[in-house]
Amino acid sequence: MVSVALTNFDLSANILVASSAQPSAHPRKRNTNRAKPDEHGENASKAITTKEYTHLVPRTKRIRQEVLEGWEDASSTLLEQINFLLKNAKDDIVYTRRDARRAEHANAILLSATQRLERSLLHMKIPPTARPLHFNLDRLAERNEQVYREVVASRHSKLLLEEQIEMAQRLLEEDQKKLRQLEKNAQDWRGRWQSREKKQLHPLLRQPEDVEAVGDTADNIGLRVVSTPIDKPVLDTPDSDLVPLLEQLRRSLEAMQGNHTQVQGISEAMRDARAALDDVLFRHASARQYDGV
């Protein structure tokens, strides 16, 4: 087993950051004219907070020697992409220096580090999964922009959903408040109606407690029973296909016969009632009223 430091963009950036963090060969002189802080702390200046930077740490992975021997050397295209990334990383660090002297000093240090790294990459094995596309700065920048747009869209969607949830919660609280008020009103009206029904019911509509309620059976309502049933042998047939149809016809005839039995005699009663009404009108109404009716 051997320890092999995988060469990738993280390791390259780590070397660049580590190189830029080296102390300067010409340290700045301390300003002796600065006012000394008071012993009691009255004139002591506030501590200047230094900005913390994130440093990349190289990752080491153990790979078998036989696996490592199967790896190929880096292609020229891959080396060009890596060198281009190193150059851009170096320029980003150098251009952030406001002082020209410090920028020149950082450029010299980073240039030496990147050149050493480029020389070591020429003799370094590259994993078979590494592709020039992984070190394509334009592709990486495009991918970062796409991810950024997706993150922004997701944040906006989250904000919209939160606003909709808050609005829905407010509407739900208002509806629940209205529902409680309606239930309270319904309960009040129910109580008022019951008390009013007990107090304002007409005496004629009040039934004594000892009166038994009349049922709705055939005997109570005077339902007439069919005296002459239908002759079933007339509807009998040996054809099995006609049996359901004839059975339905028999039930319909029985229903019609029962209805006719219930209304039997209504025509005579209506004729007698009409004659009695005509006699009353003829006796008590004027000729004009009688003709109008």
Side-chain angles (χ1 to χ4, degrees), residues 5-16 72-92 110-111 113-140:
L6 297 181
T7 305
N8 51 22
F9 178 66
D10 295 340
L11 180 56
S12 303
N14 179 36
I15 295 176
L16 294 178
E72 298 180 356
D73 296 335
S75 62
S76 59
T77 306
L78 183 60
L79 291 176
E80 290 178 0
Q81 296 290 347
I82 296 176
N83 295 337
F84 183 72
L85 283 179
L86 294 176
K87 182 179 180 301
N88 279 274
K90 177 181 70 65
D91 293 341
D92 290 341
L110 294 177
L111 182 60
T114 54
Q115 288 177 353
R116 289 197 305 270
L117 184 58
E118 290 174 0
R119 287 193 298 270
S120 63
L121 288 174
L122 294 175
H123 308 286
M124 189 174 294
K125 298 288 186 178
I126 300 297
T129 56
R131 297 290 185 273
L133 185 63
H134 299 161
F135 300 92
N136 190 335
L137 183 60
D138 296 335
R139 182 63 180 272
L140 294 176

Side-chain angles (χ1 to χ4, degrees), residues 50-109:
T50 58
K51 186 176 181 180
E52 297 181 358
Y53 294 92
T54 302
H55 296 272
L56 299 178
V57 179
R59 293 180 298 178
T60 303
K61 183 178 181 181
R62 296 184 178 276
I63 303 175
R64 295 181 180 275
Q65 183 65 32
E66 54 270 18
V67 176
L68 184 62
E69 292 176 355
W71 290 3
E72 298 180 356
D73 296 335
S75 62
S76 59
T77 306
L78 183 60
L79 291 176
E80 290 178 0
Q81 296 290 347
I82 296 176
N83 295 337
F84 183 72
L85 283 179
L86 294 176
K87 182 179 180 301
N88 279 274
K90 177 181 70 65
D91 293 341
D92 290 341
I93 297 175
V94 172
Y95 293 154
T96 55
R97 299 297 184 270
R98 298 181 180 180
D99 186 21
R101 184 176 59 83
R102 297 188 63 185
E104 183 179 357
H105 182 66
N107 185 32
I109 295 176

Side-chain angles (χ1 to χ4, degrees), residues 203-257:
L204 296 178
L205 298 178
R206 298 177 184 175
Q207 295 182 357
E209 297 180 356
D210 55 350
V211 175
E212 296 181 359
V214 180
D216 55 354
T217 60
D219 297 335
N220 294 330
I221 63 177
L223 183 65
R224 298 180 182 180
V225 181
V226 179
S227 58
T228 306
I230 299 176
D231 190 7
K232 294 183 178 180
V234 177
L235 300 176
D236 293 341
T237 177
D239 192 353
S240 59
D241 296 336
L242 295 177
V243 171
L245 181 61
L246 293 176
E247 181 66 21
Q248 183 178 2
L249 178 60
R250 183 185 62 79
R251 290 195 299 268
S252 300
L253 292 175
E254 290 179 354
M256 294 173 62
Q257 186 178 8

Side-chain angles (χ1 to χ4, degrees), residues 226 254-264:
V226 179
E254 290 179 354
M256 294 173 62
Q257 186 178 8
N259 295 334
H260 183 269
T261 303
Q262 303 305 323
V263 299
Q264 188 176 4

